[in-house]
Amino acid sequence: MDESGRSAQPPSNDDETADPNTTPDPPAPDKATEPSAPGAPEAAEPPHPHPEQAPTGHRPAHPAPYGDPTDEHPADGHERTLAHSGGARGTRGTRPPQPPPEPRGGLLMGRPFGVPVYVAPSWFLVAALITWVFGGQLDRVLPEVGAARYLVSLFFAVAFYASVLVHELAHTVAAIRFKLPVRRIQLQFFGGVSEIEKEAETPGREFVLAFVGPLLSLVLAGLFYLALQPVEPGTVPGVLLAGLMISNLIVAAFNLLPGLPLDGGRMLRAVVWKITGRPMSGTIAAAWVGRALAVAVLIGLPLLTQSGALGSTAEDSVGMDTVTDALLAAILAAIIWTGAGNSLRIARLREHLPELRARTLTRRAVPVHTDTPLSEALRRANDAGARALVVVDADGEPLSLVREAAIVGVPEHRRPWVAVSGLAQEITDGMRVSAELAGEALLEVLRATPATEYLVVEETGEIYGVLSAADVERAFVKAMARPS
């Protein structure tokens, strides 16, 4: 089974021990995964935020000073000024939105096409289950094999998951062909996952990207069928080839079911996207079909087994077999239902990402010289309704940013004797952010250079203001709280 999923979660700000000078990486919101037996969340169309007039000079579109009751960004919900900010709470441990750290993925098996392939610990459980079940079938078909049947069964389990890997590599090669980065491939309990970090740009590419996996599984089934022809029936090679042919047919057929997170769901999403012109419409349609599919699997699979439609008689489908079938159906249904829900959640995230715009989130900044006392700098900032300080040289070129958390750490009676240069962080190339950045592009820049504040500049190099990672996080959480 091919499961895929994207995730980008709002971060937690509870880390009181975090270094105020750095922030962990923001999310790679584009991460997508391609499946090989249930699985895969999707992305959404961008929203249509109201454009704002870009101000000139270094006055941000929403300059709202700390003392302004209209300020959208205070962390504690109270009016604040730069001089009396309760700051450490608002800036310490803040970070751009990011998902929880991902595990490595298990045992690294190799890097085909430069993409790491991991085997999750859960794979060993399903390999043991396949070995036990297939070994029992071999005992009825080939009793003369004896105890060696379990070695044959283990070989079948490995060969089957090799087929799943080929299915995933088909997704990976297609993604590389479309210049979409692939983070990793993981083989796990119910199949495999190809984690593609960006979604396809067009519905046509989305359709191809999803279809190549089941297509390769069908090709493998055909190859095993051809290899089976010269082999004598009732032999170990014959049973293995027949089993691999049937299992690849099942993988292909299951993944072609038209509901997320399966490949067929991604294909349905592409079709609806093409018809409506809206990726979000495709995601919603395919996700709800996926949920209906989950209910059908939960109810229908045990009924099919009981009726003998899957090859067993009703008399055989009693007792422990009935419980096993019901448990398998419940697991499959849960995976499909969860994957469909994740698809909607990630689509909603991607829909709101464009609302994160550097120009609208930037704080107005006041330029000060290196030897300016902190108290004087704060007076200028509050008089100007600004919420940030930029240290500049004699020519007005920005040198460093005064950290809000550092300001809070200086007692008020000491501020006339402390120069702003002692509280500033040097501006590196990665801390210069274009005012035109928005959405995923903005988060990528912040992730590349973790910091609490960034200098925002116009295309001409003119200072526009200062962007706080805390403001980005709050805007992210606020956007996610709004319905799609």
Side-chain angles (χ1 to χ4, degrees):
M1 169 163 89
D2 183 358
E3 180 184 359
S4 61
R6 297 178 201 185
S7 67
Q9 299 283 354
S12 168
N13 238 7
D14 297 332
D15 184 5
E16 291 299 324
T17 63
D19 184 351
N21 294 324
T22 60
T23 60
D25 292 347
D30 290 328
K31 174 180 147 189
T33 55
E34 296 295 338
S36 76
E42 283 311 312
E45 69 173 324
H48 303 284
H50 300 292
E52 317 229 358
Q53 282 291 359
T56 58
H58 53 271
R59 294 176 59 85
H62 292 292
Y66 270 116
D68 191 336
T70 63
D71 180 7
E72 294 182 354
H73 306 305
D76 53 13
H78 299 288
E79 297 181 15
R80 298 162 47 183
T81 64
L82 186 58
H84 299 89
S85 168
R89 189 174 76 184
T91 58
R92 187 184 326 195
T94 60
R95 62 196 75 178
Q98 74 171 59
E102 290 188 44
R104 287 186 36 155
L107 180 65
L108 178 64
M109 301 301 293
R111 295 180 178 270
F113 306 103
V115 177
V117 175
Y118 292 98
V119 173
S122 60
W123 178 85
F124 295 96
L125 177 62
V126 75
L129 181 62
I130 292 175
T131 300
W132 176 63
V133 173
F134 195 69
Q137 294 175 346
L138 281 177
D139 190 36
R140 293 193 293 268
V141 178
L142 299 171
E144 66 275 11
V145 174
R149 67 182 181 274
Y150 291 110
L151 289 177
V152 177
S153 299
L154 179 60
F155 178 83
F156 170 79
V158 173
F160 169 67
Y161 268 84
S163 300
V164 172
L165 177 59
V166 171
H167 177 117
E168 295 304 327
L169 286 174
H171 291 305
T172 296
V173 171
I176 294 173
R177 172 68 179 80
F178 294 144
K179 296 182 172 54
L180 302 175
V182 182
R183 176 169 303 203
R184 67 179 180 179
I185 296 173
Q186 186 183 52
L187 300 179
Q188 49 190 226
F189 188 84
F190 267 108
V193 178
S194 300
E195 297 186 359
I196 301 172
E197 296 188 359
K198 291 187 178 181
E199 75 164 352
E201 297 176 353
T202 66
R205 289 186 174 187
E206 171 83 351
F207 188 93
V208 171
L209 193 59
F211 180 61
V212 290
L215 177 62
L216 256 291
S217 294
L218 289 173
V219 169
L220 286 176
L223 292 176
F224 287 125
Y225 173 77
L226 293 176
L228 184 62
Q229 299 310 302
V231 176
E232 183 179 350
T235 62
V236 170
V239 171
L240 284 175
L241 289 171
L244 290 171
M245 177 190 71
I246 294 172
S247 61
N248 276 277
L249 282 174
I250 293 174
V251 168
F254 190 83
N255 275 277
L256 286 173
L257 293 175
L260 287 173
L262 303 175
D263 291 329
R266 296 177 64 90
M267 294 162 63
L268 174 61
R269 174 183 182 269
V271 171
V272 177
W273 177 4
K274 179 67 174 178
I275 294 173
T276 64
R278 300 182 68 243
M280 185 62 171
S281 298
T283 301
I284 292 173
W288 279 104
V289 172
R291 286 177 168 176
L293 182 63
V295 174
V297 168
L298 179 64
I299 299 173
L301 186 59
L303 291 179
L304 285 174
T305 305
Q306 289 269 339
S307 67
L310 298 181
S312 61
T313 63
E315 290 78 10
D316 294 331
S317 301
V318 294
M320 185 58 67
D321 286 343
T322 302
V323 174
T324 302
D325 292 336
L327 179 61
L328 176 62
I331 294 174
L332 287 174
I335 291 174
I336 297 172
W337 182 279
T338 302
N342 286 341
S343 299
L344 290 173
R345 180 177 57 82
I346 299 305
R348 184 168 158 223
L349 164 66
R350 295 175 66 87
E351 185 181 40
H352 288 305
L353 271 182
E355 298 178 24
L356 302 181
R357 291 178 287 170
R359 187 173 294 279
T360 58
L361 294 173
T362 297
R363 300 176 175 185
R364 181 186 299 179
V366 168
V368 294
H369 293 291
T370 57
D371 56 353
T372 305
L374 177 58
S375 59
E376 172 61 17
L378 293 176
R379 184 192 64 79
R380 296 181 191 176
N382 289 327
D383 288 348
R387 303 177 58 213
L389 299 172
V390 178
V391 179
V392 298
D393 61 17
D395 297 325
E397 289 296 317
L399 300 175
S400 55
L401 302 177
V402 180
R403 294 177 291 109
E404 184 181 358
I407 294 175
V408 176
V410 180
E412 194 162 353
H413 69 276
R414 291 276 305 149
R415 292 175 179 178
W417 318 108
V418 176
V420 292
S421 58
L423 306 174
Q425 180 179 7
E426 181 182 359
I427 299 172
T428 63
D429 289 341
M431 292 173 62
R432 292 176 181 266
V433 176
S434 170
E436 304 303 323
L437 286 178
E440 297 171 12
L442 173 62
L443 293 181
E444 286 294 328
V445 170
L446 302 191
R447 182 175 63 171
T449 308
T452 52
E453 288 95 9
Y454 300 83
L455 178 69
V456 181
V457 296
E458 297 282 10
E459 293 182 354
T460 60
E462 185 179 8
I463 298 175
Y464 183 72
V466 172
L467 177 66
S468 168
D471 292 345
V472 176
E473 179 183 357
R474 280 188 289 270
F476 177 88
V477 174
K478 184 178 179 180
M480 286 297 294
R482 289 197 298 272
S484 298

